[in-house]
């Protein structure tokens, strides 16, 4: 009986090899290459969009407390896309056998840069969502008593707190010990804490979205809600990947999906700013630019502050 069973297993394995060898491998390689081409195109578009957003918010549009958050978020997303595309380029060089120790060092550097900027992006979006919740729940305090330097201070703290994570990851990767603690940290801080705060903020903003008091901030709240919803959707594969890595297993397909979702999430925000901020174009009207779209989205913050100041002066 044992010989019959072993013969059947051997026969089935041979049959599977016969029917799956050339075609499955060719189809897998084709799918993988098409996926990489798609990721590269999204990366390039995201780099252009975030680069234009950074330039406009830094040099062409009047700065306010909220655009400080958006500027730092665009810088973090630009870093995510840059690190991923450079990492893939260096990995391709290594697989072709043309790399050396310097190429491997740069590949590790861009891996840590991805971890740094991805965490900063998630923390910044959490801070943005909490800031908007405070704005809709406590509008008087938000306008009258919030320190004007608070957004800059929060952004600086986020960048500082995001830096130890890649440093610890690099050390753990070198000594090959306790590396699972990194994935536990990512799961607890990034996956559970930030995601929970974003879910609560999203629900709060949705409830207050139809309030008459928030009509003058409709475009701004729409952009934030869309950014939060897309982030919650596209961060899920990366959180699942952290769980799998923590328990000591890995899945290449899930890794590709997680990286692809991170690329899309870091590329989509400039498109959201443009789509929400643009106006319907008539026959004789020129096309809307990203600068005009950003001004329409973020002028709500300025107009609201001016209205609040006028109201206070009238009361006094």
């Amino acid at each position: 009986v044992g010989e019959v069973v072993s013969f059947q297993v051997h026969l089935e394995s041979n049959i599977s090899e016969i029917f799956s060898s050339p075609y499955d491998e060719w189809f897998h390689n084709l799918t993988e290459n098409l996926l990489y081409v798609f990721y590269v195109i999204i990366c390039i578009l995201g780099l252009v969009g975030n680069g234009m957003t950074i330039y406009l918010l830094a040099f062409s549009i009047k700065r306010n407390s909220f655009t400080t958050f958006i500027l730092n978020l665009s810088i973090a997303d630009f870093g995510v896309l840059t690190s991923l595309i450079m990492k893939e380029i260096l990995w391709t060089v290594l697989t072709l056998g043309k790399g050396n120790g310097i190429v491997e060092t740069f590949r590790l550097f861009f891996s840590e840069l991805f971890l740094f900027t991805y965490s900063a992006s998630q923390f910044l979006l959490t801070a943005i969502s909490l800031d908007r919740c405070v704005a809709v729940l406590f509008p008087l305090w938000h306008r009258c008593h919030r320190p004007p330097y608070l957004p800059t201070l929060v952004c600086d703290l986020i960048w500082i707190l995001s830096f130890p994570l890649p440093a610890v990851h690099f050390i753990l990767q070198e000594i090959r010990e306790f590396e699972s603690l990194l994935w536990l940290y990512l799961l607890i801080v990034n996956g559970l804490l930030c995601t929970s705060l974003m879910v609560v903020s999203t629900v709060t903003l949705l409830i207050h979205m139809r309030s008459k008091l928030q009509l003058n901030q409709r475009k701004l709240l729409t952009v934030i809600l869309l950014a939060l919803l897309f982030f919650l959707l596209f961060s899920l594969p990366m959180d699942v990947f952290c769980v799998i890595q923590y328990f000591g297993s890995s899945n290449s397909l899930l890794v590709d999906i997680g990286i692809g979702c991170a690329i899309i999430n870091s590329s989509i925000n400039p498109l959201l700013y443009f789509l929400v901020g643009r106006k319907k174009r008539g026959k004789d009207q020129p096309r809307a630019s990203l600068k005009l779209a950003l001004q329409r989205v973020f002028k709500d913050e300025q107009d609201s502050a001016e209205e609040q100041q006028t109201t206070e002066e009238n009361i006094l």
Side-chain angles (χ1 to χ4, degrees):
V1 176
E3 293 179 357
V4 173
V5 172
S6 62
F7 175 75
Q8 290 178 345
V9 172
H10 181 68
L11 181 62
E12 290 176 356
S13 63
N14 288 337
I15 292 175
S16 63
E17 289 179 1
I18 292 173
F19 286 97
S20 65
S21 295
Y23 301 104
D24 285 354
E25 184 178 356
W26 176 84
F27 181 76
H28 175 74
N29 292 334
L30 178 62
T31 305
E32 197 173 55
N33 291 332
L34 290 176
L35 197 62
Y36 284 152
V37 170
F38 173 74
Y39 287 168
V40 169
I41 294 174
I42 298 298
C43 264
I44 294 174
L45 294 176
L47 287 171
V48 173
N50 282 292
M52 293 176 62
T53 303
I54 293 170
Y55 173 78
L56 292 173
L57 292 179
F59 303 107
S60 298
I61 296 177
K62 184 179 178 181
R63 186 81 59 87
N64 58 52
S65 59
F66 189 74
T67 55
T68 300
F69 283 118
I70 300 299
L71 176 61
N72 283 269
L73 179 63
S74 298
I75 293 173
D77 288 337
F78 191 89
V80 170
L81 297 173
T82 302
S83 60
L84 284 176
I85 197 168
M86 291 302 299
K87 181 183 175 183
E88 290 302 321
I89 291 173
L90 295 173
W91 178 254
T92 303
V93 173
L94 288 173
T95 53
L96 293 176
K98 298 181 179 180
N100 50 29
I102 298 177
V103 176
E104 177 63 23
T105 301
F106 274 104
R107 190 186 71 85
L108 292 176
F109 167 77
F110 284 110
S111 297
E112 307 308 331
L113 180 63
F114 165 75
L115 194 59
F116 171 57
T117 51
Y118 181 79
S119 296
S121 174
Q122 194 162 2
F123 295 154
L124 284 166
L125 196 54
T126 304
I128 290 171
S129 64
L130 293 177
D131 178 77
R132 285 301 95 187
C133 283
V134 173
V136 299
L137 294 176
F138 310 101
L140 280 178
W141 181 90
H142 189 267
R143 295 299 176 197
C144 303
H145 302 290
R146 188 188 65 165
Y149 58 84
L150 185 61
T152 303
L153 179 62
V154 170
C155 291
D156 292 341
L157 288 176
I158 286 175
W159 286 111
I160 293 172
L161 293 175
S162 299
F163 179 75
L165 180 60
V168 172
H169 177 243
F170 180 78
I171 295 173
L172 293 176
Q173 194 172 29
E174 289 298 317
I175 64 178
R176 303 292 181 180
E177 294 182 5
F178 307 108
E179 192 171 358
S180 60
L181 295 178
L182 170 75
W183 304 111
L184 181 62
Y185 170 85
L186 288 173
L187 178 62
I188 294 175
V189 177
N190 293 34
L192 297 180
L193 180 61
C194 290
T195 301
S196 301
L197 291 174
M198 287 187 199
V199 170
V200 173
S201 302
T202 303
V203 174
T204 303
L205 292 177
L206 280 172
I207 293 174
H208 287 77
M209 184 73 175
R210 297 183 179 277
S211 173
K212 292 182 180 180
L213 297 175
Q214 308 301 327
L215 288 177
N216 60 336
Q217 293 188 355
R218 182 60 55 86
K219 289 183 182 296
L220 187 63
L221 293 179
T222 301
V223 165
I224 297 170
L225 282 173
L226 290 175
L228 288 172
L229 291 173
F230 278 114
F231 192 93
L232 292 174
L233 175 63
F234 291 128
S235 66
L236 181 61
M238 189 64 71
D239 295 336
V240 175
F241 170 67
C242 291
V243 174
I244 293 176
Q245 287 292 117
Y246 174 68
F247 287 104
S249 59
S250 182
N251 188 321
S252 60
L253 178 61
L254 186 60
V255 173
D256 292 338
I257 294 175
I259 292 175
C261 289
I263 291 173
I264 296 174
N265 179 72
S266 297
S267 304
I268 202 170
N269 286 337
L271 180 62
L272 296 179
Y273 306 150
F274 176 76
L275 293 178
V276 175
R278 71 188 179 101
K279 288 184 177 180
K280 292 184 178 180
R281 187 168 64 96
K283 293 182 179 180
D284 299 329
Q285 294 179 344
R287 292 185 178 182
S289 63
L290 180 60
K291 180 179 179 180
L292 292 176
L294 290 173
Q295 288 175 337
R296 292 192 186 107
V297 170
F298 300 127
K299 76 180 178 65
D300 295 337
E301 177 78 7
Q302 299 169 357
D303 293 344
S304 179
E306 292 173 357
E307 288 179 5
Q308 185 65 39
Q309 186 177 359
T310 304
T311 303
E312 292 173 5
E313 293 175 353
N314 292 333
I315 293 175
L316 292 175

